[in-house]
Every structure is written in structure tokens, then in C-alpha cells.
């Protein structure tokens, strides 16, 4: 599912638990290095603009797991709602194509500019449906796609810079680990000692499509 796998993965697990009443384990593994695509010049791409250089250098490998179930442990946030926004006009700007017997990543240089165009509407719809303002969100778990992506989402929503501190630290510590980055940041949040009862959390992913996905969570009261 690519860099946005955290959103649909969590949604499918949530639906499984709601329907069947049993736990669901998500295992998200990104082996981005397996899609290394050498740009050998045999098939020149006039619009390349260093696309292969970026895609072969930017992504890191990682794996995370999430157990979704039903318990009363105050350390575990409750999943409240989901929302996504897709703009297929930009479907060829981010994703994979099959070329010369291997997967070739598409990563257009304007992806950082497109990210807030799909993330911001999804976030606004999610919060509006739940009667929440941006200022009422206590913690943000943002897809660690890059510093400029953080900047653009921040500016589009007029959020304070401290909302991105944890996600920026994840990017600095682990690099861009694609979809697993939200799992890494979420774990670091739970271990940070900064979470209080009834705190709201919004998780945001940027996906091929282009799509922005977001999940609303809340830590319970003991």
C-alpha cells in the first residue's frame, strides 16, 4: 500500500475488531531498499529532474506492529474516527510503476506542495464531524515525509511549530521510513510521559493517489 499503509491498515484492523470482537495485529514492514532502481541512461527520462537520485536516497527500511483490541488500559488510546481525501489529478506524482522488470518509484518534485492539498481537507472534515477545533488537539503524529512537507502542512493549517516537534525528531532519528513512520512516532509519543488523560491525538498520512489520511484518537480516563 506504499507510504500511506498506516491509515488503511489501522482502518481494516479497527473494522475487524468492531465486527468480530477479537483482536487484530497489524504488521507494517517497509523494505524500500528492495525497490532500488538504477537510472542507467538506457531509457532517458527528460522529466526526471533527479527523481531517481531522490527516491534511491530518501527512504529507509523499518518495521512496526500495532495490536488493536478492546481493553481499559489508560496507556492505550481509543480510535474514534477516520477520514481521507484523494485528488486523482495527481495520481502520477507519487507511487510505483512497473518498468523493465522491476518496480520504479515515482516521486515528483512537487509532492511536498501537494501534501497539504489532500491532508488539510481530510483533517478539517475529521475534526468538524467530531466538533473539535485544531487547537483542541493535544498531540500530532505526522507522516515523516520530509521537513518541507511538515512546513507546508503547518502553514496550510496555521498550526504552531510545536505540533511537529515529535514527528520532526522521528525524521531526524530514523529518516523517512515511509508508512512505518507514524507507528514509530506514535510509540515515541506513548513513551514520552507527556500524554494526559483525555488527550486528543491526530495521526496524518500522505499516500499515493494523491491521498491524505487521518485518524482521530483519544487517551481514556482511568
Amino acid at each position: 500500500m506504499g507510504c500511506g499503509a498506516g491509515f488503511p491498515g489501522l482502518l481494516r484492523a479497527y473494522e475487524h475488531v468492531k465486527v468480530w470482537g477479537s483482536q487484530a495485529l497489524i504488521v507494517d514492514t517497509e523494505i524500500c531498499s528492495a525497490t532500488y532502481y538504477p537510472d542507467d541512461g538506457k531509457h532517458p527520462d527528460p522529466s526526471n529532474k533527479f527523481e531517481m537520485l531522490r527516491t534511491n536516497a530518501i527512504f529507509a527500511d523499518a518495521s512496526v506492529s500495532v495490536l488493536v483490541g478492546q481493553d481499559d488500559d489508560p496507556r492505550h488510546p481509543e480510535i474514534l474516527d477516520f477520514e481521507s481525501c484523494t485528488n486523482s489529478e495527481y495520481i502520477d506524482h507519487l507511487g510505483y510503476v512497473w518498468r523493465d522488470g522491476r518496480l520504479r518509484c515515482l516521486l515528483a518534485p512537487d509532492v511536498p506542495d501537494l501534501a497539504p492539498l489532500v491532508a488539510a481537507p481530510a483533517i478539517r472534515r475529521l475534526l468538524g464531524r467530531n466538533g473539535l477545533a485544531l487547537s483542541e488537539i493535544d498531540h500530532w503524529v505526522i507522516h515523516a515525509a520530509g521537513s518541507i512537507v511538515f512546513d507546508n502542512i503547518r502553514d496550510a493549517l496555521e498550526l504552531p511549530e510545536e505540533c511537529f516537534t515529535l514527528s520532526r525528531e522521528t525524521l531526524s532519528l530514523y529518516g523517512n521510513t515511509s508508512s512505518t513512520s507514524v507507528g514509530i512516532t506514535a510509540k515515541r509519543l506513548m513513551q514520552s510521559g507527556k500524554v494526559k488523560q483525555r488527550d486528543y491525538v491526530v495521526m496524518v498520512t500522505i499516500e499515493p493517489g494523491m491521498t491524505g489520511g487521518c485518524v482521530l484518537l483519544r487517551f481514556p480516563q482511568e
Side-chain angles (χ1 to χ4, degrees), residues 135-172:
S135 59
E136 294 179 89
I137 304 305
D138 303 286
H139 310 282
W140 292 83
V141 174
I142 311 290
H143 182 128
S147 293
I148 299 177
V149 172
F150 289 144
D151 293 345
N152 291 344
I153 294 176
R154 178 199 62 199
D155 295 345
L157 294 171
E158 298 182 341
L159 290 170
E161 174 57 32
E162 54 263 31
C163 295
F164 295 81
T165 299
L166 195 66
S167 299
R168 288 188 190 273
E169 288 176 354
T170 296
L171 179 64
S172 177

Side-chain angles (χ1 to χ4, degrees), residues 126-139:
L126 178 75
L127 298 187
R129 186 166 60 242
N130 288 275
L132 293 169
L134 287 165
S135 59
E136 294 179 89
I137 304 305
D138 303 286
H139 310 282

